[in-house]
Structure formats: structure tokens, C-alpha cells
Amino acid sequence: MKIAIVCYPTFGGSGVVATELGIALTEHGHEVHFITYKQPVRLDLISHHIHFHEVSVNEYPLFHYQPYELALSSKLVNVVKQYGIELLHVHYAIPHAYAGYMAKKMLEAEGITLPMVTTLHGTDITLVGNHPFYKPAVTFSINKSDIVTSVSQSLKEDTHRLFDIKNEIIVVPNFIDMEKHINPYTDCQRDLMAEPHERIITHVSNLRPVKRVKDAIEIFDRILKKMPARLLIVGEGPEKEACEALCVEKGIDEKVAFLGNSNEVDKILCFSDLFLLPSEKESFGLAALEAMASGVPVVSSNTGGLPEVNIHGVSGYLSEVGNIDEMASNAISILSSDDTLAKFKIQAKEMAQRFDTARIVPQYEAVYEKALQLVI
Ligand code: GMT
């Protein structure tokens, strides 16, 4: 099948999932065309079945806001016609489902039928999409999608609660290639980051307020009072400065490393003992799944889709959002004994197996088949 994928090309989970999906689809014999404003960060274009089409928006002084949706829908029309695309899969409703629907209608006027699958990822529904500025357009474009999927049961329920959605929402969870997480590193280079007796605790996110990175620092501070440890914070975002200041204020700044955005998260996870994800909202928590796949237990909040991923008492622990004391005591209970830590590491990996690429990508292929049938 010739599939066009529209996504955000950044480090965000939705872009990562879209990219990994595209790559996996080419391994199943499909031809995939990524259409976005920059080459996705996880895409290295090594296969001739993968194409990347850049959407450019010309600056024009009249425009206070550049019309990206217009450029995207025009690009979609051109790519669909030039390459004979059979199906469009848009990740993240805003503005991709909207632009996709416009492209679909423009093509329809030329006698070309293009089924559109929209995957909802989280903030497009729970944070941004339900703002009155966007809600009518988001509701419209979700309802006009041929098939809608969500990355967790929790996000499906949130979508029905927050929007008047007429069509069925199919849950297709995010996934991880477990084969790539059979630890390929003989030497994790742990000694670059910590002393042998220190536990390594990691947090990976876009450092936005919704991630509650300061809670992660508070949890780490409590762990540090019980055992030697290091905290690695991976990612860039608006909370970074305030978090750095909090570490200085607590006198723990020498124990915390801010590593910035990284394409080598798996290498960092390779030597991590525990992953912290105390988010306010999290439709799925791909970062938690990536940690689990690397055998890193997760202490997280119990918001959104996290309980579907991180299993309490098995792959880690869940607590109410903001319950820093409980999260710290759960972290300490995992980290205090080598045996307990080893048990949680094994169990984290086992729980990640449920989301192996081999199990989930065929679910997307089934969705595509269904979408094709719908428009015949
Ligand atoms: O977490 C973010 O702020 C980024 C956001 C995105 O759109 O890339 O992540 C969302 O989609 C991910 C992939 O499906 C999910 O794993 C994240 O849980 C979800 N984030 C939120 O719901 C806050």
C-alpha cells in the first residue's frame, strides 16, 4: 500500500510513534511518504520505500500568521497525485486532520478518493484541542475522518467526554520494537554518569509544565536522603531553567545532569535504574514504555493512559498526581535492594512486551484495510 503519513517531526511522542510506524510499515512491504515541515528526528531515510516531502511556507509580510494548513493540504494533494498515494494517516488532530480533510475534498473534486485515518495522541484532545479557539474545527475534522484511532482506552474516553464525536474510536496503543531493545551495549558506559555505588534515575520529556519535572526533582531529593544517586534529565523545554534553579536551591545540582535533547535515549536508559514520570496528564506515556523496554522500572503518576502501560507493583508503581512522598517511597523501595531492583527490571521488560511492534503494527494495517473498504 502507498501511505502518506503526516506528523510533527520533533522529539514529541506523536512524531516518534508516527516515524516508527512508517519505518515498520516499510518493513512490511508498504511505501511510506512522510509529509511534514522538517525531516522527522527519528527518520534516517535509509530505505528506498521511505520518502520525505517537506512542507514549506513562504514568509509574506501581509501574514501575521503563516498559513501552514494551506501549504500542508496543497502539498498533500500534489504528493497524492504524483505518487498514487492510496491512504492518508494523520497523527495529532491539530491541524493535521483539518488539513487532511481539505486535501481529501480537493482530491475528490478531481475524482480521486483518499481514505483518511486520524490518530489522536493526547494533548491534541486533553490540552490544546478542547480550547474554544479550536474545538469546533477539531470536532469537525475528527468526525470527518474515515477512521479515528486513539493511543489508549483512557484517551478514547477523554475524547468522548470532551467532544461530540459521532464515529467509533479504535484503540491502537503505542508500540516499541523489543528486538531493538535487546540490550546491544556490552558496556553501558555507566561510569561516565555515576559512581559504581550510585543509583541512576532518569526522566525524559519535553520539560513542559504538564510533565511536572519539578516533582521528579523533589522525588529525587527524597531518594538522595536515603541512598547515593544521580538524576539525569533528558529533553529541552520551558521548565528547564526553573528546574535548574530548584536543584541549586536544594543543593543537589551536582547530582543532577541536564542532558538536553538526545537521539540516544536508549543508551541513557541502558544504564538507568529507575524512570520517573510524574505527569499531570499523559495519554499513554511513550517515554515510560521506552524505559520499560530497556528494563527500567517506572515510578509514575496514575493519570490518563499510564495505568494501561505501567502496571502497579509489577513494572513499577503508580500514585496520584502530585503525591511526591508516595512516589519517593515507592522509588526507594525499588532501589533499596539489588534483588528487588533486579526483579522489577525483569518485570518492566516483560510488561513492555505487550506493546511490541510485531503485535501492534498489524492492528494499524487492519485499520488501513478497513478504511479502504469504507471508501470503495
Ligand atoms: O507529551 C507531550 O507533551 C508530547 C505529546 C505529543 O503529541 O507528541 O505526547 C502525547 O503523545 C504521545 C504519543 O502518543 C503519548 O505517549 C503522550 O502520553 C502524549 N502526551 C500527553 O498526553 C501529555
Side-chain angles (χ1 to χ4, degrees):
M1 200 183 295
K2 291 186 179 185
I3 303 156
I5 292 184
V6 175
C7 64
Y8 283 106
T10 56
F11 283 95
S14 65
V16 169
V17 168
T19 309
E20 298 289 353
L21 174 61
I23 295 167
L25 287 167
T26 61
E27 285 160 11
H28 288 204
H30 302 285
E31 182 177 307
V32 174
H33 294 251
F34 287 96
I35 304 174
T36 181
Y37 58 82
K38 206 175 70 190
Q39 185 172 323
V41 288
R42 292 240 182 141
L43 187 67
D44 39 21
L45 291 178
I46 35 160
S47 148
H48 66 278
H49 291 307
I50 297 186
H51 302 245
F52 163 60
H53 309 275
E54 185 173 321
V55 181
S56 310
V57 185
N58 285 341
E59 295 274 333
Y60 186 67
L62 179 68
F63 300 145
H64 184 60
Y65 304 103
Q66 307 305 318
Y68 180 68
E69 291 89 320
L70 232 61
L72 174 59
S73 46
S74 298
K75 188 77 175 185
L76 276 168
V77 167
N78 292 339
V79 171
V80 168
K81 289 201 302 196
Q82 188 177 348
Y83 292 90
I85 301 295
E86 294 156 278
L87 182 130
L88 171 62
H89 188 174
V90 300
H91 289 259
Y92 208 90
I94 309 167
H96 300 153
Y98 192 74
Y101 180 68
M102 279 312 298
K104 192 177 155 74
K105 293 313 272 183
M106 284 188 267
L107 288 160
E108 212 171 278
E110 295 187 46
I112 301 168
T113 310
L114 183 71
M116 177 169 87
V117 175
T118 296
T119 291
L120 308 173
H121 278 274
T123 45
D124 45 352
I125 296 302
T126 55
L127 276 184
V128 195
N130 66 0
H131 192 282
F133 291 171
Y134 302 118
K135 198 167 178 173
V138 173
T139 309
F140 174 82
S141 38
I142 293 177
N143 278 326
K144 289 292 179 186
S145 303
D146 295 295
I147 294 199
V148 181
T149 76
S150 75
V151 298
S152 65
Q153 180 63 27
S154 154
L155 182 59
K156 173 178 173 168
E157 286 159 18
D158 281 342
T159 309
H160 281 303
R161 184 171 47 81
L162 296 166
F163 296 84
D164 183 16
I165 299 302
K166 310 280 183 219
N167 36 9
E168 184 198 1
I169 299 176
I170 300 172
V171 177
V172 182
N174 288 333
F175 56 88
I176 191 103
D177 189 342
M178 292 302 290
E179 263 183 40
K180 287 189 192 147
H181 285 79
I182 299 170
N183 193 349
Y185 312 110
T186 44
D187 171 13
C188 275
Q189 295 185 300
R190 188 184 199 287
D191 51 341
L192 290 178
M193 287 296 161
E195 301 291 329
H197 62 288
E198 289 174 317
R199 296 293 197 206
I200 299 182
I201 293 137
T202 300
H203 169 82
V204 181
S205 79
N206 50 26
L207 310 192
R208 297 217 174 101
V210 71
K211 301 293 174 182
R212 296 182 72 106
V213 191
K214 286 185 202 141
D215 284 10
I217 292 167
E218 291 286 354
I219 296 164
F220 175 69
D221 186 41
R222 284 158 176 74
I223 297 172
L224 209 45
K225 291 193 167 77
K226 298 283 179 195
M227 66 187 75
R230 297 266 172 175
L231 175 62
L232 308 180
I233 297 184
V234 182
E236 289 291 342
E239 289 283 275
K240 187 173 177 181
E241 275 185 19
C243 288
E244 284 171 334
L246 180 63
C247 294
V248 172
E249 187 191 311
K250 291 193 157 295
I252 58 170
D253 49 311
E254 287 194 356
K255 298 285 174 193
V256 184
F258 287 84
L259 301 179
N261 282 332
S262 173
N263 258 332
E264 298 190 314
V265 172
D266 49 346
K267 284 195 185 156
I268 296 165
L269 290 170
C270 171
F271 49 61
S272 299
D273 297 308
L274 188 79
F275 191 83
L276 295 176
L277 196 61
S279 309
E280 182 85 36
K281 285 189 167 63
E282 203 70 69
S283 70
F284 182 89
L286 185 67
L289 177 59
E290 291 192 327
M292 286 160 55
S294 293
V296 183
V298 175
V299 164
S300 70
S301 63
N302 60 6
T303 189
L306 275 173
E308 295 170 48
V309 181
N310 183 21
I311 304 303
H312 189 71
V314 182
S315 55
Y317 287 106
L318 299 156
S319 298
E320 292 293 324
V321 173
N323 194 341
I324 296 163
D325 286 332
E326 191 180 283
M327 290 188 212
S329 106
N330 286 336
I332 292 162
S333 84
I334 294 175
L335 295 170
S336 294
S337 115
D338 286 344
D339 286 348
T340 311
L341 178 57
K343 185 183 89 178
F344 270 91
K345 279 180 176 256
I346 291 168
Q347 290 172 175
K349 208 167 183 113
E350 278 169 5
M351 287 298 105
Q353 293 281 1
R354 294 171 299 148
F355 301 100
D356 188 18
T357 306
R359 291 185 186 193
I360 310 297
V361 171
Q363 296 181 29
Y364 274 119
E365 289 177 294
V367 163
Y368 296 165
E369 289 299 337
K370 191 171 170 187
L372 284 174
Q373 294 304 317
L374 283 176
V375 298
I376 285 173

